[in-house]
Amino acid sequence: MSMGTTLTRRGVLAGGLAFTFAFTAGENVAAQADAGPLNAYVGIAPDGTITIQAPAPEMGQGTNTALPLIVAEELDADWEKVRIETAPVRAAYDSPIFRSQFVVASLSVRGYWMPLRMAGAQARRVLLDAVAARWGVPVEQLSTEPSTVVHAASGRRMSYGEVASFARAPATLPEITPAALKPVSAFRLIGRDVARFDVPAKARGQTLFAIDVRRPGMLHATVARSPGLGARPLSHNGAALLQRPGITHVLPLDQGVAIVGERVEAVLAARRELTVQWSPGEGAAHDSEAALASYLEDVRDATKAGVQVVRTGEPEQALAGAAHVHSAEFTSDYVYHGQMEPLTCVASVTEGGAEIWAGTQWPSLVRDEAARILGIPAERVTVHMLTMGGGFGRRATIDYAVEAVQVARAVGRPVKVMATREDDMANAHVRPMTAHRIEVGLDAAGRITAWRHRLASDLVVPQLYGRARLEAQRGVDHIVTYHANVAQYDVPATLTLHLYREHGVRTAPWRGIGAGPNAFAVEAVVDDLARQSQTDPLAYRLALLRDARARAVVEAVGAMAEWSRAREGTHLGIGFAKLGLPQLGEALAATVAEVAVDAASGRLRVLRLWCAADVGLAVQPRNAMRQIESSLLWGVSSALTERLTLRDGAVQQSNFTDYEMLRAPETPEVQLRLVGGGEVPLPVAELGLGTVAPAISNAVLAATGKRLSALPFTPERVRAALAG
């Protein structure tokens, strides 16, 4: 393992001690599946203040507390003396998983886990070495208490601040192996509920979001984006708009038209009067309902080839020889991210470089794209990583930041580019709609012998990562196809095929990625099979699940919900889902929904949710539970009402008036329990979402004997299913 040291302005506090830790993919780190470069900075001032850099973007999930907490644990820091700073956008702070500062798929804590522990342990060892030299004692005789070095034999004690007043980081930092880290049993910060770093500022209205940024001489702008991929502005009425007071520029962009002015009110008023003639884009004729019907045709046509995602055993042979084949079909519509803060970015471009203020899930890409657009080295682009007012995958795409850089360059002044809700929804980067056909082979005793899942959808990977990434993955879109398998269940032969058509629709990861529609289809079929075998659905799962962790969450949620107790007027359904990467570990969750069905109106009321989750080692248990609760409610919203439709390439919804989301009166009571445990934290923030839609649909099946198979479960669809 190679190491180096660099003193930085951020790291040196009032003449204190600063550390820089440079990790390479050494053997010990690679053994943890966390290999990758990461620099973690720790600064200690003579007054004892410890400054820790938070390397990942914050969008409400609590990473700017959890990640510094990991460093502080191994440093043995007094948490009351810790100050947290948002790290700059530099390669030193790249996620070991993504090799970039990038927040997606609930992998920040899991990805930074080992490198940040090592960074804290190295800083602690430097302190110990410095005190050992000062006192003339073997370093092995020293120990630490919170922010204090202790020599038990003589009773001497020295605070970290005192050490910082004379110690200097060595040219070669001490090597730390995973074996030298604290055992989990010795943790005093991790696993406890410490206060989140970001809450006080949010409560006082002091948190800086991109929409709050003001720069001297700043203009305001908004962009009318093209209705589909590839469409270009051919003409517009910008000349007339320039006659309006306060409007300074109307600029054609690659796929949009920007209106720029001195005041945001003038810009938004001009936007309402803007008319644009667009060239035909890739999705100009796209009709989502017709396309979904074509997807169903694709999954029904067994001769139509698809990309192989998962294969175990000999599924075709097993299906051909099955005593009985159960088949079922499911669909899901496009959905919108619905982040609360409008998409906003401030950019300033000068001869010296560029400065950008943005709430983004991918600040490294913002820096690199800005450098590419401007033709300058990335080192001349400064990105201020701001808190996001919601991301959910939408801010993993950076179109709004690119537009800000382009407009700022064109007008020669700082510019704040902000999207209206109507423009954001009209140009939504959607979760793809899907169609599924699942065929399950059963033997004469009713045991599963084969499982084939044909999934049709748009693609996400090419739009997020580029076409080369899809090709490198042999055509597998891991975002769309996540959870489209039954690895958790004891099925000897399985096949998942992905059939896709590209419609020129902007797509993006959406909370839980593929787990929303895919777990719905899988878990609904499991309930169908339980019903056919006249077995209780919870008991059926317990018999089918492969491992003890999965059985534990199902057993726990059954006990929480009092599964066997009869209800009056309501029924229960269950769903199971996982989240993570198999090579890094997957979190597990099971949810029971209590649902009331109004057959006349077709309205469903989800009264209660019970959820049991195994997230491994919970760095902050209370925060983990709140994140899972959030994902459960997000799941209810997307299951019951959320739906985007396109006609002639245009989104038909315009705002939250006609794109319905879960509201307070419809919000169910949620009871949540963390079960299991472990040595490593597993993904949290999206975990519950995939369990909710199947739990609701399975509850309706229990109540009525009818299957809801199309997401969302709108009243019209419920009435049609009950009538059928």
Side-chain angles (χ1 to χ4, degrees), residues 285-297:
H286 181 50
D287 182 291
S288 55
E289 292 189 11
L292 192 56
S294 72
Y295 279 166
L296 279 169
E297 293 175 2

Side-chain angles (χ1 to χ4, degrees), residues 5 17 55 61 63 66 87 90 182 184 209 261 302 331 345 396 434-435 437 457 468 538 575 613-614 668:
T5 180
L17 183 63
Q61 75 277 48
T63 56
R90 297 179 188 164
K182 282 186 181 181
V184 171
F209 297 90
T331 62
C345 181
T434 65
R437 181 175 175 83
S457 76
L538 190 147
D614 183 344

Side-chain angles (χ1 to χ4, degrees), residues 310 451 453 481-489 494 496 518 522 578:
V310 175
W451 183 290
H453 187 161
T481 61
Y482 183 74
H483 217 307
N485 63 70
V486 285
Q488 66 271 26
Y489 292 121
T494 67
T496 299
N518 298 339
V522 168
K578 56 193 176 183

Side-chain angles (χ1 to χ4, degrees), residues 597-604 700-701 703-708 715-724:
V597 182
D598 185 330
S601 68
R603 294 196 173 276
L604 306 180
V700 174
L701 180 69
T704 67
K706 302 293 185 178
R707 167 63 67 198
L708 301 181
E716 296 78 14
R717 287 173 172 174
V718 172
R719 289 197 303 269
L722 297 183

Side-chain angles (χ1 to χ4, degrees), residues 288-317:
S288 55
E289 292 189 11
L292 192 56
S294 72
Y295 279 166
L296 279 169
E297 293 175 2
D298 289 346
V299 297
R300 289 167 180 164
D301 183 356
T303 66
K304 193 173 184 64
V307 173
Q308 182 174 289
V309 180
V310 175
R311 185 185 186 92
T312 62
E314 298 295 335
E316 294 94 348
Q317 181 178 341

Side-chain angles (χ1 to χ4, degrees), residues 82 122 176 199 213 225 253 264 282 285 318 341 384 386 518 568 572 644 649 720:
V82 170
Q122 280 191 320
I176 302 293
V199 170
V213 173
R225 298 188 183 95
L253 305 175
V264 68
E282 298 172 31
E341 182 198 11
H384 300 278
L386 304 181
N518 298 339
E568 183 68 33
L572 303 183
L644 272 188

Side-chain angles (χ1 to χ4, degrees), residues 331 551 634:
T331 62
R551 289 192 293 273
W634 204 259

